[in-house]
Amino acid sequence: MTSVLNVDSIAAKNGTSPVALTKQSAAKAWVNYTTAASFVNNGSFNVSSLTDVGAGSCKIVFTNVMSNDDFSTSGLQVMGAGQLGLNAQETNLTWCISYNTSNAAADSGETTGTVHGDLA
């Protein structure tokens, strides 16, 4: 016998909190954005806003906050752009900064980031 479950959303018992994953690890947030020429959110999950805060610098605010500020953030940017660094992270946000090959803060084109950790 085959069963099908169709839903639009799943929420915790209180109806608003995210559902906790058990015995699994999944990205709690991800983002793909462009900083060269214009600042554009190309796609994201659990990101309420992106803010351009200067050359190469982007503040990423989460829709659902993390349980603490010790989550893992990883990211990539366009090849040849230099390196991507973490400027700060708090339970509700992470702040990334891109550097060019001369180690100066600079917009880098397409950048991606993923967050792993526990939601509050």
Side-chain angles (χ1 to χ4, degrees):
M1 181 170 112
T2 302
S3 298
V4 175
L5 176 64
N6 294 308
V7 298
D8 292 323
S9 64
I10 297 175
K13 288 181 182 180
N14 67 8
T16 59
S17 299
V19 175
L21 296 175
T22 58
K23 298 184 182 182
Q24 303 179 49
S25 180
K28 300 307 187 297
W30 64 264
V31 66
N32 178 312
Y33 62 93
T34 302
T35 58
S38 63
F39 190 81
V40 178
N41 180 350
N42 300 316
S44 62
F45 169 73
N46 194 27
V47 172
S48 64
S49 68
L50 294 175
T51 305
D52 185 353
V53 287
S57 191
C58 175
K59 183 169 72 171
I60 303 163
V61 178
F62 306 130
T63 304
N64 297 294
V65 301
M66 304 301 288
S67 62
N68 58 51
D69 63 0
D70 297 325
F71 53 88
S72 173
T73 302
S74 58
L76 297 170
Q77 64 184 10
V78 175
M79 283 185 60
Q83 59 184 334
L84 182 65
L86 179 64
N87 194 16
Q89 63 185 39
E90 301 172 22
T91 57
N92 66 324
L93 64 88
T94 188
W95 196 320
C96 301
I97 189 162
S98 299
Y99 297 94
N100 61 21
T101 55
S102 300
N103 289 326
D107 290 342
S108 66
E110 190 172 0
T111 302
T112 64
T114 306
V115 172
H116 287 267
D118 295 322
L119 294 172

